Amino acid sequence: MTTPVTHPFLQVENLARAYPSPSGGDAVTVFDHVNFRIHKGEFVCVTGHSGCGKSTILNILAGLDSATTGNVFMDGREVSGPSLDRGVIFQSHALMPWLTVLQNVEFAVKSRWPNWNKQKVREHAMRYIELVGLKGAEHKKPSQLSGGMKQRVGIARAFSIEPKMLLMDEPFGALDALTRGVIQDELLKICAETQQTVFMITHDVDEAILLSDKIMLMSNGPHARIAEIVNNTLPRPRERSAIHKQPHYYPIRNHLVDFLVSRSKQFGALRDAPDAPSSPTVFDPDDLLEPFELTQPESVVVPVPPIGKPHIHLVNA
């Protein structure tokens, strides 16, 4: 019996983006040889230092920018421009200030389904407003909302068009830690309910671990690439208060931090070597455990950390 081939929902092939030099010299290549796949229903986070081209990749996926070379295919069709099949949430809420919460969401719904009557549009919009916990605030304008509430409206608007893929560019970066945590929890619930495919940019390692199925790590620019892909096997549903108790949590976190601190720079120096990998290295949590943890004799007694203090597994670079 043959196993059916699962085709990726999103496929990115040899993507590169170059910009003219401001001084008139050679063009500046922000990233090149970017290759990755995302399957239907996956939540993928990408992280890396500023300037590596994360937002540019997202804009290309959204159809808001064009690649210098390479191709993007979504659901079997090439991405060649903006489409309501892709919802985008930017760092700022981008709400229309003269419209209420309900009217902002209704505007998106009417764009997606122009033949729906007013009642159907309103009911559909209210469903997503309730989903993000804003029932009772639907008649307020953005000036009457907190920063967190505005971002919730942006999330409701993006989900209301029921896109095939959701693209998020650091949507919670400007929020305080408590508000960010609440909205992250809401996002987890919505994605679990809708099985939404998500591509999200973040600089927050803990956010990536909490939300994602895969974490893509980008090397430093120029000529940045996706250097590593870490499979996040922490079980769902995930709760921020208990996630650190999972045995793979600290190996994953330490690996991500180590990459951002040191290996992202080292990768840039090695990418042009003759034996440099042509595609990202994929890591599973078991690959990230120290050899000591995997090979120690049974007679060796491992010190147990005091109760209340988490055991941090250090990962060698």
Side-chain angles (χ1 to χ4, degrees), residues 36-242:
F36 62 89
R37 297 178 174 185
I38 298 177
H39 291 280
K40 187 72 174 176
E42 278 190 324
F43 197 125
V44 174
C45 281
V46 58
T47 190
H49 289 283
S50 297
C52 67
K54 302 182 298 297
S55 293
T56 304
I57 291 175
L58 183 142
N59 287 335
I60 292 171
L61 300 185
L64 301 175
D65 196 357
S66 299
T68 304
T69 60
N71 304 95
V72 177
F73 299 94
M74 190 186 81
D75 204 16
R77 301 180 64 180
E78 186 172 7
V79 172
S80 58
S83 168
L84 289 172
D85 284 342
R86 280 157 275 136
V88 186
I89 301 176
F90 297 103
Q91 295 180 35
S92 61
H93 52 78
L95 301 178
M96 289 172 278
W98 60 91
L99 299 181
T100 65
V101 169
L102 179 59
Q103 290 168 340
N104 266 282
V105 180
E106 284 181 333
F107 182 86
V109 176
K110 287 186 284 190
S111 299
R112 181 70 175 85
W113 294 284
N115 296 325
W116 281 11
N117 62 45
K118 185 176 181 179
Q119 181 64 27
K120 189 171 183 179
V121 168
R122 176 153 299 195
E123 289 175 355
H124 187 84
M126 279 303 303
R127 177 195 167 203
Y128 287 92
I129 289 171
E130 292 178 16
L131 208 58
V132 298
L134 286 178
K135 184 177 181 181
E138 62 268 24
H139 298 301
K140 292 183 178 180
K141 291 186 176 180
S143 60
Q144 299 172 289
L145 305 176
S146 67
M149 294 173 76
K150 292 174 185 176
Q151 282 299 83
R152 289 190 188 204
V153 180
I155 292 172
R157 183 176 57 185
F159 274 99
S160 71
I161 63 173
E162 298 181 355
K164 292 182 178 180
M165 186 169 189
L166 185 64
L167 306 167
M168 307 177 74
D169 189 355
E170 290 191 83
F172 316 132
L175 304 178
D176 65 87
L178 291 176
T179 303
R180 186 186 309 127
V182 171
I183 300 181
Q184 286 170 348
D185 292 339
E186 295 290 342
L187 181 62
L188 280 173
K189 293 176 184 177
I190 296 172
C191 288
E193 179 177 325
T194 61
Q195 294 298 299
Q196 182 70 61
T197 306
V198 181
F199 178 90
M200 177 175 170
I201 294 171
T202 180
H203 282 107
D204 188 329
V205 167
D206 294 305
E207 180 173 74
I209 296 173
L210 177 68
L211 298 176
S212 71
D213 299 305
K214 291 180 181 177
I215 303 163
M216 300 195 301
L217 304 174
M218 289 195 70
S219 63
N220 293 2
H223 293 278
R225 297 180 185 178
I226 294 175
E228 298 177 1
I229 298 176
V230 178
N231 288 326
N232 186 0
T233 56
L234 297 182
R236 294 185 183 277
R238 297 176 190 154
E239 297 181 5
R240 71 182 62 254
S241 60

Side-chain angles (χ1 to χ4, degrees), residues 12-30:
V12 175
E13 300 177 344
N14 294 315
L15 209 64
R17 186 68 168 94
Y19 293 95
S21 171
S23 60
D26 294 335
V28 177
T29 300
V30 180

Side-chain angles (χ1 to χ4, degrees), residues 219-285:
S219 63
N220 293 2
H223 293 278
R225 297 180 185 178
I226 294 175
E228 298 177 1
I229 298 176
V230 178
N231 288 326
N232 186 0
T233 56
L234 297 182
R236 294 185 183 277
R238 297 176 190 154
E239 297 181 5
R240 71 182 62 254
S241 60
I243 194 173
H244 66 280
K245 298 177 183 178
Q246 297 294 331
H248 285 151
Y249 175 81
Y250 284 110
I252 292 175
R253 191 180 192 280
N254 291 337
H255 185 80
L256 301 182
V257 171
D258 181 66
F259 178 88
L260 294 172
V261 170
S262 60
R263 286 183 292 112
S264 59
K265 302 173 186 176
Q266 297 168 2
F267 184 88
L270 298 174
R271 64 171 173 256
D272 295 323
D275 58 348
S278 58
S279 58
T281 303
V282 179
F283 288 95
D284 284 310

